[in-house]
Amino acid sequence: MSVQEYLDKHALSRKIEDAVNAAVRAKTPDPVLFISNHMKKSVPSMITKVKARQILDSRGIPTVEVDLYTNKGMFRASAPSGASSGMYEAIELRDGDKGTYLGNGVSRAVRNVNEKISEALIGMDPTLQSQIDQAMIDLDRTEKKESQLVFTRPLLHFSNLFLPLRESAFWEFFFQSELGANAILAVSMAACKAGAAEKEVPLYKHIAVLSGNTNLSLPIPAFTLISGGKYAANFLPVKQIMILPIGARQFEEALQMGSETYHHLKAVISKKYGTDGCSVGEDGGFAPSITSIREGLDLVKEAIGRTGYSEKLKIAIDVDATEFCIGTKYDLDFKSPNKSDQNFKSGEDMINIYKELCSDYPIVSIEDPFDKEDWEHAKHFSNLGICQVVGDDLLMSNTKRIERAVEESACNALLLKVSAIDS
């Protein structure tokens, strides 16, 4: 297309004239800046460039970062990558070269963005999220010659959570990808930011429109205070003990409450275990030398008591029970070098433990209280209605498992990993 053809197609002469007239009417002190901004709004935005690179995430592991350019600016996003993943989750594309980043490099995924995805998306309207996602789906299908794609469009209806994942939600399409779920997700997220900028609305509002969700509420942040499980060098079997500032009126207040409690806990641990007890686990929680859940909960309870927020702070536990499930038993002593049969618990035993803990401590949420395949005990415990029961390993962000959990009431909340959704 020639320059004249482009000018004629987009009626730029008329738009420039309108911009000049608008500047005159506004009596602006800087006509050039005014006209420039006016033209940016009048000319439809399109994707002009997509550039990916390899970066390191918070754990020092490579992931994909993407810069997506439109005539409104540059928009950046990086693919999240959890420490744990399940067999039913979407597949990241890793290089597999053990001599480079221990096989975790993502240069192939980066190359797919720069050489294939970029070419497919240039010229597209960033507000048309579903079309952008579909273009990448089609490109991946072409790469594989045959598609394994099954669209993920369930209605997820848990207590306090309703997520209709409609056609334009950017997390809709994850599958076992030839291009790499990490490559596709990073591009999709960057495009989503560009779409929000084009509409001149906050990102959350743009996503809400795309997902068909008009009932918005600000989420309550969860603060990891104590780390355990395989993520910390102590003998605490559960993965995390967290706090939820449910009494905060604003997010700023919730952040303050979380920060203050964290530092009060540091003082509590330092006094009882010395400064060595203030080392942290992989996810940032303190990892004192404790051996039981109650010991950790007592520390958190004392820290909460020091804050003055006792009525506003509640406790959540991520048990990550799959990590210490052996057959049908749960080994609460799995990290101890001197194991005995004393701490092997049945599913019923675990239910009784959780009931007692919820009675003795202000626990309102328990994540993955049972093994990922222990549906019966998950269903039983969830139906007791004692607390929020969160599915992570149980669900694996997999639509078929989510549908089963809804049908069987195996949990009443889910951990949604946009980097892991698979069909």
Side-chain angles (χ1 to χ4, degrees):
M1 182 184 298
S2 68
V3 173
Q4 187 59 52
E5 289 173 335
Y6 184 90
L7 293 173
D8 293 340
K9 177 180 178 180
H10 295 285
L12 290 183
S13 296
R14 177 61 180 273
K15 290 175 181 176
I16 292 172
E17 182 180 345
D18 290 342
V20 171
N21 291 334
V24 171
R25 289 193 299 271
K27 298 180 181 180
T28 175
D30 191 339
V32 174
L33 180 61
F34 184 95
I35 292 171
S36 174
N37 290 334
H38 192 281
M39 288 297 295
K40 283 183 178 180
K41 293 180 180 180
S42 63
V43 176
S45 184
M46 66 174 64
I47 297 172
T48 58
K49 180 181 177 181
V50 183
K51 179 69 175 178
R53 67 182 65 84
Q54 176 174 273
I55 64 169
L56 298 184
D57 66 15
S58 61
R59 294 177 292 118
I61 297 176
T63 191
V64 180
E65 181 177 75
V66 167
D67 291 345
L68 185 143
Y69 295 80
T70 72
N71 49 344
K72 296 293 175 69
M74 184 273 284
F75 305 91
R76 177 173 293 169
S78 58
S81 177
S84 63
S85 61
M87 67 182 73
Y88 297 99
E89 294 182 358
I91 304 301
E92 297 175 316
L93 184 60
R94 300 281 179 180
D95 297 339
D97 178 6
K98 296 298 183 181
T100 305
Y101 288 113
L102 306 178
N104 290 317
V106 292
S107 61
R108 291 167 59 202
V110 166
R111 191 161 55 248
N112 284 339
V113 174
N114 293 336
E115 297 178 2
K116 299 172 182 178
I117 294 175
S118 176
E119 182 179 350
L121 299 190
I122 287 177
M124 295 189 69
D125 182 345
T127 65
L128 303 178
Q129 187 72 42
S130 62
Q131 292 185 21
I132 292 170
D133 293 345
Q134 189 61 53
M136 289 189 284
I137 290 170
D138 292 341
L139 181 62
D140 192 84
R141 180 184 292 124
T142 300
E143 289 293 307
K144 293 195 299 183
K145 306 303 180 187
E146 62 181 58
S147 174
Q148 298 176 9
L149 171 67
V150 178
F151 282 102
T152 62
R153 297 175 181 169
L155 292 181
L156 315 180
H157 192 179
F158 296 96
S159 65
N160 302 320
L161 177 63
F162 180 64
L163 293 175
L165 302 184
R166 296 191 178 178
E167 293 184 358
S168 52
F170 68 76
W171 45 74
E172 176 188 42
F173 57 89
F174 287 94
F175 48 91
Q176 292 190 0
S177 169
E178 197 74 15
L179 296 175
N182 43 355
I184 294 173
L185 175 58
V187 173
S188 188
M189 291 171 67
C192 195
K193 290 183 177 180
E198 174 65 17
K199 292 182 177 180
E200 298 184 339
V201 298
L203 181 60
Y204 76 90
K205 285 189 177 180
H206 180 52
I207 293 175
V209 171
L210 294 177
S211 63
N213 184 5
T214 58
N215 184 22
L216 305 180
S217 62
L218 191 65
I220 296 172
F223 297 85
T224 298
L225 295 191
I226 293 183
S227 297
K230 67 177 183 179
Y231 300 93
N234 56 18
F235 298 123
L236 178 65
V238 302
K239 180 180 177 181
Q240 294 169 335
I241 299 176
M242 299 168 280
I243 56 167
L244 306 174
I246 63 171
R249 293 165 296 180
Q250 297 177 332
F251 191 88
E252 181 180 7
E253 182 184 4
L255 185 63
Q256 177 183 334
M257 293 164 67
S259 174
E260 291 178 4
T261 308
Y262 184 86
H263 289 286
H264 277 299
L265 178 61
K266 183 176 182 180
V268 171
I269 292 173
S270 181
K271 181 179 179 180
K272 186 169 184 178
Y273 300 94
T275 55
D276 289 346
C278 295
S279 61
V280 297
E282 186 175 318
D283 49 11
F286 293 114
S289 182
I290 56 179
T291 59
S292 71
I293 303 173
R294 283 186 175 272
E295 193 174 354
L297 290 170
D298 286 338
L299 292 172
V300 171
K301 189 175 180 180
E302 183 176 346
I304 290 175
R306 292 189 179 192
T307 66
Y309 302 131
S310 295
E311 298 304 315
K312 296 182 177 181
L313 289 171
K314 301 298 181 183
I315 296 176
I317 303 174
D318 181 358
V319 178
D320 197 18
T322 297
E323 290 299 323
F324 54 86
C325 181
I326 301 175
T328 60
K329 298 289 186 179
Y330 295 90
D331 181 10
L332 293 178
D333 205 26
F334 81 106
K335 297 176 71 176
S336 173
N338 301 313
K339 292 185 178 181
S340 69
D341 290 334
Q342 289 180 323
N343 255 353
F344 278 80
K345 306 295 183 182
S346 67
E348 288 296 325
D349 292 334
M350 295 299 291
I351 289 176
N352 290 329
I353 289 173
Y354 298 139
K355 288 167 65 175
E356 291 175 2
L357 291 177
C358 289
S359 175
D360 296 342
Y361 301 91
I363 297 171
V364 295
S365 179
I366 299 180
E367 181 178 332
D368 283 336
F370 304 97
D371 178 67
K372 65 180 183 297
E373 301 301 339
D374 192 349
W375 290 85
E376 288 305 312
H377 288 109
K379 178 180 178 180
H380 182 186
F381 181 61
S382 181
N383 287 335
L384 293 177
I386 296 173
C387 65
Q388 175 177 270
V389 181
V390 183
D392 178 11
D393 290 345
L394 179 73
L395 305 178
M396 301 185 197
S397 296
N398 176 274
T399 54
K400 292 180 180 178
R401 294 177 73 89
I402 291 171
E403 288 169 353
R404 178 180 176 182
V406 173
E407 292 171 0
E408 298 184 12
S409 300
C411 56
N412 51 33
L414 86 163
L415 186 72
L416 179 64
K417 301 184 203 173
V418 296
S419 60
I421 295 176
D422 196 6
S423 58

